[in-house]
């Protein structure tokens, strides 16, 4: 990340990609708050470059939603995941892996059985 930021600048799309990947890794390591910070920065860059309805922005929105779920921020996570599903359905189709993953994550969040561990 630091190499990309130094070489390309803090607002470059490759820097956003590195921040997105860092956010995903931090989630996997059980550090959702740190992931949230990286993902919010990545989302700002991607939305500024492409607009909020672009697939790359939706990927980061989905990842941010997942981090927020881990942080206990279900309401904001739900909105981000719903938006990602909408973008993916329109841009990629209903059966695309991005669409299916975002829909699964949203359904897992809203399904009471899953939340209770059953």
């Amino acid at each position: 990340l630091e190499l990309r930021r130094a070489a390309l600048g803090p607002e470059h799309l490759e820097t956003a990609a590195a921040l997105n990947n860092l956010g995903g890794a931090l989630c996997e390591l059980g550090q959702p708050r740190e992931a949230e910070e990286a993902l919010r920065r990545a989302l700002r860059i991607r939305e500024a470059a492409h607009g909020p309805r672009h697939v790359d922005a939706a990927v980061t929105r989905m990842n941010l939603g997942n981090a927020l779920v881990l942080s206990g921020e279900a309401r904001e996570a739900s909105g981000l995941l719903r938006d990602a599903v909408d973008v993916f359905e329109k841009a990629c189709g209903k059966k695309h892996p991005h669409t299916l993953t975002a829909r699964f994550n949203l359904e897992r969040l809203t399904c009471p059985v899953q939340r209770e561990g059953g």
Side-chain angles (χ1 to χ4, degrees):
L1 171 64
E2 292 306 320
L3 292 174
R4 285 190 185 183
R5 193 179 321 197
L8 303 171
E11 303 301 314
H12 194 278
L13 286 172
E14 289 298 321
T15 302
L19 285 164
N20 184 71
N21 293 341
L22 175 62
L26 288 167
C27 274
E28 291 293 320
L29 292 171
Q31 300 175 14
R33 297 279 182 206
E34 293 82 355
E36 179 185 344
E37 180 182 334
L39 291 164
R40 286 190 191 281
R41 288 177 23 216
L43 185 59
R44 276 194 305 274
I45 295 166
R46 285 180 163 179
E47 286 183 341
H50 296 304
R53 307 306 295 169
H54 191 274
V55 170
D56 286 347
V59 167
T60 301
R61 204 171 290 114
M62 177 176 64
N63 292 340
L64 177 56
N66 293 337
L68 290 169
V69 168
L70 294 173
S71 296
E73 302 292 333
R75 184 178 305 243
E76 184 179 1
S78 177
L80 290 165
L81 291 169
R82 284 180 205 285
D83 189 57
V85 168
D86 184 57
V87 171
F88 292 144
E89 283 183 351
K90 289 178 178 147
C92 306
K94 292 185 181 219
K95 297 200 182 278
H96 189 277
H98 285 334
T99 307
L100 297 173
T101 300
R103 189 179 300 122
F104 173 79
N105 292 340
L106 177 60
E107 288 173 2
R108 188 175 57 179
L109 174 64
T110 58
C111 179
V113 173
Q114 289 293 334
R115 283 186 286 158
E116 293 172 7

